[in-house]
């Protein structure tokens, strides 16, 4: 990571961006630039704090040399971009990196107790120390944000002078200087004391600054500041309520990630020879019109045959969400998942394709009938897969999984034709639940009642986070969704114990809808745990049968029982039932839903009603 240049960058003789001599401020892994330290997030490096700059051309945060382009046609079309770019590599061979800006600007000095902007301490060049006492400066622990994604400094002046008239003192023109010290009596906010040398106010603590109405009571609202885009970007008025946050809180930045698997006919592994032409080709329904266009643009021979082009166009149209002429983003994203499910069920045999094929999915060789008593059917060995995860936007204060477009903050001031992304190549195991048995089970009164409790709690959370509760996103909770989600978690935990995979190296991908009931567990990293064949071997029926039985038996008991099993609600906003970190929860990177919407009772039943468990026969046996 490097700070942004202070003046316009010059280019080399060939027009490319030159090598920079800007100081480095630490390193992050490539994947973290998407999931943890993406655009707009705060990064702590030693005793300093920075915010990752935006993607606008003025910053040129990721240049072409350090950010190779990748393609995933289905996801590009969904997100409305031409391509994706990998984050710059953080190795010794890298000449560039992510641009960062110092934030927050308010710092305190433990030596002289002064609290002011970083530059006012007159630090020596390249160092973050007090110019007077040579003590390391401490970035402000507190920032403020609004639900629209804006971020700002904590208003220390107004907080200290809140007891005075709304005049010069509250606006910072009292002539005094702020000071911060800690009493050392406790580790609470009460021990953090702020004062002003103007003598017009007494010393006050930070206690109460995290109340929802704390800043509203001071007459403060959001100014619309976006420090990751730089001071040159005008701050449009926002006016939303502000919330005080700890600088390291997860609520300060949450990524909005969208992903897709590369499936046929887009998984051949070769570069797209018609990149840049598909937008125009989609306008033609007639084969003859497509032929005329290709003749006008390309010389003979064409990069792709007419049959190949028509196959790709037809496959794109099949992924269009049915219903409205202009389906919502969520409907289009679900349509993308539907095609993945169909392809996982149908398979894609390796022997029929070249070595460059990026999606290989085959039926296991063993007898699949051994899985019938479990209610599991159609296991598939996904020997090769490629997933692209793109950073679409980010949110503050709002759960990224339940956000609406209105609360998503863009990664740049102006719309760009690319987005940051990571690609993962690995392997996995796909399995489905028997539809007949599942349909009977999910209609049971006890099952429906537990799912309804979770759905109601989740819907309440979504409505609380929405500006207009009547337009809140609908909760996806159904009995089969919770069942598949919890099943995926216990399988990941089981393979972590029995097959030697770290749980953080595995990831779930759920396919739960009226006509879908499947789960894909796959390697989620590109390191040594990525694609060695160990996970695929677990999908053979003779291994999968004891694995599922062992995982279900392990889920019968939790070290927090009976409290865990008998809990009326658990998790954020009561969106879990029988689920905790001692039984079914996973590392956040492995779960699609941030460890909510889980209930192991739907797997194994409860002491009062064992039949609510889909695998009740295994438990009884």
């Amino acid at each position: 990571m490097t700070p942004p240049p202070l003046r316009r960058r010059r280019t080399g003789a060939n027009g490319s961006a030159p090598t920079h001599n800007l100081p480095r401020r630490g390193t992050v892994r490539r994947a973290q630039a998407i999931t943890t330290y993406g655009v707009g997030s705060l990064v702590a490096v030693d005793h300093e704090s920075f915010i990752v700059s935006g993607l606008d051309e003025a910053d040129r945060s990721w240049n072409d040399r350090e950010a190779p382009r990748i393609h995933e046609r289905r996801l590009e079309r969904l997100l409305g971009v031409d391509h994706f770019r990998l984050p710059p590599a953080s190795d010794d061979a890298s000449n560039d990196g992510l641009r960062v800006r110092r934030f927050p600007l308010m710092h305190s000095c433990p030596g002289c107790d002064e609290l002011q902007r970083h530059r006012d301490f007159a630090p020596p060049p390249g160092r973050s120390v007090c110019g007077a006492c040579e003590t390391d400066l401490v970035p402000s622990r507190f920032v403020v944000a609004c639900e629209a994604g804006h971020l700002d400094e904590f208003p220390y002046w107004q907080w200290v002078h809140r007891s005075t008239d709304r005049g010069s003192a509250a606006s910072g023109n009292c002539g005094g200087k702020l000071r911060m010290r800690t009493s050392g009596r406790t580790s609470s906010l009460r021990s953090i004391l702020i004062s002003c040398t103007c003598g017009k106010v007494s010393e006050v603590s930070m206690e109460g600054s995290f109340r929802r109405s704390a800043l509203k009571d001071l007459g403060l609202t959001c100014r619309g500041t976006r420090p990751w885009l730089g001071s040159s970007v005008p701050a449009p008025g926002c006016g939303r309520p502000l919330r005080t946050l700890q600088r390291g809180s997860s609520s300060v930045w949450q990524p909005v990630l969208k992903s897709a698997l590369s499936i046929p006919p887009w998984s051949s592994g070769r570069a797209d020879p018609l990149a840049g032409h598909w937008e125009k080709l989609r306008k033609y329904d007639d084969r003859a019109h497509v032929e005329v266009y290709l003749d006008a643009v390309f010389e003979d021979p064409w990069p792709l045959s007419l049959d190949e082009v028509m196959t790709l166009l037809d496959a794109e149209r099949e992924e269009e969400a049915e219903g409205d002429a202009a389906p919502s983003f969520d409907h289009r994203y679900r349509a993308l998942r539907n095609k993945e499910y169909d392809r996982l069920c149908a398979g894609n045999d390796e022997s029929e394709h070249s070595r460059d094929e990026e999606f290989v999915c085959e039926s296991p060789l063993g007898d699949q009938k051994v899985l019938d008593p479990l209610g599991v059917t159609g296991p598939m060995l996904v020997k090769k897969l490629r997933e692209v995860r793109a950073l679409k936007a980010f949110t503050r204060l709002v759960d990224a999984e339940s956000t609406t477009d209105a609360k998503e903050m863009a990664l740049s001031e102006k719309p760009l034709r690319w987005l940051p992304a990571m690609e993962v190549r690995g392997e996995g195991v796909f399995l489905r639940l028997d539809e007949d048995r599942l349909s009977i089970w999910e209609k049971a009164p006890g099952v429906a009642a537990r799912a309804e409790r979770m759905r109601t709690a989740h819907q309440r959370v979504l409505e609380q986070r929405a500006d207009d509760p009547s337009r809140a996103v609908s909760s996806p909770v159904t009995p089969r969704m919770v069942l598949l989600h919890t099943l995926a978690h216990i399988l990941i935990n089981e393979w972590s114990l029995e097959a030697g995979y770290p749980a953080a190296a595995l990831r779930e991908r759920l396919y739960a809808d009226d006509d879908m009931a499947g789960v894909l567990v796959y390697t989620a990293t590109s390191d040594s745990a990525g694609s060695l064949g160990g996970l695929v071997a677990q999908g053979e029926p003779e291994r999968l049968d004891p694995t599922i039985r062992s995982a279900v038996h392990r889920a019968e008991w939790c070290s927090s029982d009976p409290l865990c099993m008998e809990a009326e609600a658990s998790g954020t906003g009561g969106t879990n039932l029988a689920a905790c970190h001692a039984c079914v929860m996973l590392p956040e990177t492995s779960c699609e839903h941030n460890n909510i919407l889980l209930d192991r009772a739907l797997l194994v039943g409860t002491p009062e009603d064992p039949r609510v468990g889909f695998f009740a026969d295994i438990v009884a046996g």
Side-chain angles (χ1 to χ4, degrees), residues 215-226:
L215 302 180
K216 181 181 179 181
D217 294 343
L218 299 180
L220 300 176
T221 57
C222 180
R223 301 182 300 162
T225 53
R226 299 172 291 177

Side-chain angles (χ1 to χ4, degrees), residues 2 10 14 40 61 148 201 247 285 347 369 403 477 483 486 531 587 620:
T2 55
R10 294 172 300 193
N14 60 355
S61 293
V201 292
R247 174 164 48 90
D285 294 329
K369 292 182 178 179
T403 187
V477 172
L483 172 64
T486 313
S531 182

Side-chain angles (χ1 to χ4, degrees), residues 351-364:
S351 62
E352 300 175 2
H353 302 280
S354 68
R355 292 177 55 189
D356 294 332
E357 176 62 44
E358 294 176 329
F359 181 83
V360 176
C361 180
E362 300 176 353
S363 298

Side-chain angles (χ1 to χ4, degrees), residues 381-401:
L381 309 181
V382 187
K383 295 184 176 181
K384 288 177 65 176
L385 65 81
R386 173 180 180 262
E387 181 197 22
V388 174
R389 301 176 197 157
L391 178 62
K392 177 176 180 275
F394 64 88
T395 65
R396 306 194 196 278
L397 298 174
V398 180
D399 182 5
E401 291 297 321

